[in-house]
Amino acid sequence: MPFLRHRHILALATLTVFSLSACTSEQEVEDKIEAPRFVKLAKVSHAPAFDEFTFPAVVSAVKTVDLSFEVSGRLVQMDLVTGSDIKKGKLLATIDRQPFERRVDEQRTRLAQSKRELDRIEKMFSQSLVSQSALDSAKTSYELAVIDLKNAEQDLSYTRLYAPFDAKVSQRLVENNSFVAAGTPIARLQDVSKIYFNINVSERLLTANLGRGIKQASATLATDTSQWYPINYVEHSTQPDPVSQTYEVVFSMEPRNDLPLTPGARAVVKVSLEGTPYPDSLVVPVKSLVEDEANQFGVWVYDEKTGTVSKTPVTVNHIEDALAVISSDLSAGQSVVAAGASQMRNNMKVRPYEGEL
């Protein structure tokens, strides 16, 4: 009997331990389920104007022109120093003029001869000594001689090359005393009467801001952004680059002594636009968006009274850096889960976390 009583006491003790252990495990699971999860919250706010954009830019000349002679010959004078500034009308290069001067003299002699012949035929025609055809032939010869002289004089004028505009000599392509053929570039000039700033705008950004006017634009050196200078819109391309899918936009400014910019230099352009493309939209952090199986977006909205979250569908209109522009039934000032949104579920209890998650 003592042995049976001992076994009965041991069984009761074991059952009691198991019962306590089971109760403890259930309680821990229940506590874990009920314990609120810490989450990072963010406020829903009205969409900003998105009216200021900054772009890297490249300085360029108004135009770049390759200079060439329209006649062939040997260079006998050339005043082209790479990197130098030249004024419009400056004599830059000359081809040996002697062969062309002789050609002009020759055509003047032929013209004088044609004139004398025409005068003689006209006098004879008035006396009915020659036919009408003879007179017509003399007139034609004279007119052709006039044209030949004009062509010779024009070729002579082509032996001198002048600067077509205020420019900078970008590159000298031939040396003095070289023989150059007509149309062969001898130098490359850059028109720096204005400074051009070229920026590339993405297709997404350009499409999102169609119809918005430019309120203000300014530029500065990429190496020193402490001073900004006003610039003016010039033009933009209407077809994107096939590789980068960006559109080129050009701004300009008058040259400034206090802003040493040369074609090819790096700069920064800041553009402010009028109005806003999203007048009635809201913004939330991009990280707050969750996507369902139907590829629809939503956010988890925090209820301060119950301490729980619920999912609200939203329509994403635009992504700008870390912000998503949305349309929904939300109101500015409501709180949404900004970190860990993918781990939320309806009516889940959460607790706002003020630190960084």
Side-chain angles (χ1 to χ4, degrees):
M1 290 295 293
F3 175 72
L4 292 175
R5 183 179 295 126
H6 178 72
R7 290 187 59 185
H8 180 68
I9 293 173
L10 180 60
L12 289 176
T14 303
L15 180 61
T16 301
V17 170
F18 283 157
S19 298
L20 291 174
S21 176
C23 292
T24 301
S25 298
E26 290 177 0
Q27 183 64 40
E28 289 177 352
V29 172
E30 185 175 347
D31 290 343
K32 288 182 179 179
I33 294 175
E34 295 298 328
R37 181 188 293 271
F38 283 99
V39 294
K40 182 73 174 179
L41 299 178
K43 293 290 185 181
V44 179
S45 59
H46 292 290
F50 294 115
D51 60 348
E52 186 173 282
F53 304 90
T54 302
F55 305 91
V58 177
V59 177
S60 67
V62 175
K63 56 179 174 286
T64 300
V65 176
D66 285 346
L67 289 182
S68 62
F69 286 100
E70 296 190 44
V71 293
S72 301
R74 183 174 59 85
L75 282 175
V76 294
Q77 179 267 335
M78 186 163 65
D79 188 9
L80 290 168
V81 179
T82 302
S84 63
D85 295 321
I86 56 177
K87 292 295 184 180
K88 179 179 179 180
K90 177 182 174 59
L91 178 61
L92 302 178
T94 303
I95 280 180
D96 185 4
R97 294 169 59 86
Q98 292 183 8
F100 298 92
E101 290 172 344
R102 289 194 295 268
R103 176 66 175 167
V104 169
D105 292 339
E106 178 184 352
Q107 294 305 321
R108 283 176 179 165
T109 301
R110 290 182 182 277
L111 177 60
Q113 182 182 4
S114 299
K115 183 64 171 66
R116 290 193 299 269
E117 181 65 14
L118 177 60
D119 291 342
R120 187 179 69 85
I121 295 297
E122 285 179 338
K123 185 176 180 180
M124 293 176 66
F125 180 77
S126 65
Q127 297 173 358
S128 300
L129 297 177
V130 295
S131 64
Q132 180 66 46
S133 61
L135 177 61
D136 292 341
S137 178
K139 287 182 177 179
T140 300
S141 298
Y142 174 76
E143 291 170 355
L144 291 175
V146 171
I147 294 173
D148 289 341
L149 176 60
K150 289 181 178 179
N151 288 336
E153 291 174 339
Q154 182 174 322
D155 288 345
L156 177 62
S157 68
Y158 287 158
T159 60
R160 287 176 176 167
L161 203 57
Y162 298 90
F165 45 76
D166 292 347
K168 182 181 290 293
V169 180
S170 172
Q171 190 176 5
R172 186 178 61 249
L173 303 175
V174 299
E175 296 299 330
N176 201 15
N177 296 315
S178 301
F179 181 87
V180 292
T184 301
I186 66 166
R188 185 163 294 146
L189 300 185
Q190 294 176 325
D191 184 351
V192 291
S193 58
K194 289 183 180 294
I195 301 298
Y196 273 10
F197 297 87
N198 302 74
I199 66 174
N200 291 314
V201 180
S202 68
E203 183 177 11
R204 175 184 63 83
L205 183 60
L206 187 68
T207 302
N209 292 280
L210 286 176
R212 300 180 70 185
I214 296 175
K215 181 170 58 178
Q216 183 180 5
S218 55
T220 187
L221 289 169
T223 55
D224 181 13
T225 58
S226 60
Q227 180 67 42
W228 293 82
Y229 303 87
I231 57 178
N232 300 309
Y233 165 82
V234 177
E235 62 183 4
H236 71 276
S237 61
T238 57
Q239 292 186 339
D241 182 273
V243 177
S244 64
Q245 290 299 302
T246 58
Y247 294 83
E248 185 180 56
V249 183
V250 181
F251 294 85
S252 71
M253 68 178 294
E254 297 293 333
R256 301 177 62 105
N257 294 329
D258 57 340
L259 187 62
L261 289 173
T262 57
R266 298 291 174 177
V268 179
V269 167
K270 185 188 300 181
V271 181
S272 298
L273 301 180
E274 297 175 341
T276 174
Y278 313 107
D280 301 318
S281 297
L282 303 170
V283 292
V284 296
V286 172
K287 291 183 178 180
S288 67
L289 297 175
V290 290
E291 189 176 9
D292 59 21
E293 296 178 354
N295 297 323
Q296 301 296 318
F297 287 103
V299 294
W300 291 100
V301 182
Y302 174 67
D303 188 337
E304 294 184 1
K305 294 181 179 179
T306 62
T308 60
V309 294
S310 59
K311 190 176 181 181
T312 298
V314 299
T315 300
V316 178
N317 300 323
H318 178 66
I319 300 293
E320 185 71 29
D321 296 330
L323 294 178
V325 182
I326 62 170
S327 298
S328 73
D329 295 332
L330 295 175
S331 301
Q334 288 186 277
S335 297
V336 296
V337 178
S342 61
Q343 301 175 5
M344 298 294 101
R345 63 179 184 275
N346 274 321
N347 298 319
M348 182 176 184
K349 288 187 175 294
V350 297
R351 182 177 298 174
Y353 182 73
E354 303 300 330
E356 294 293 334
L357 289 178

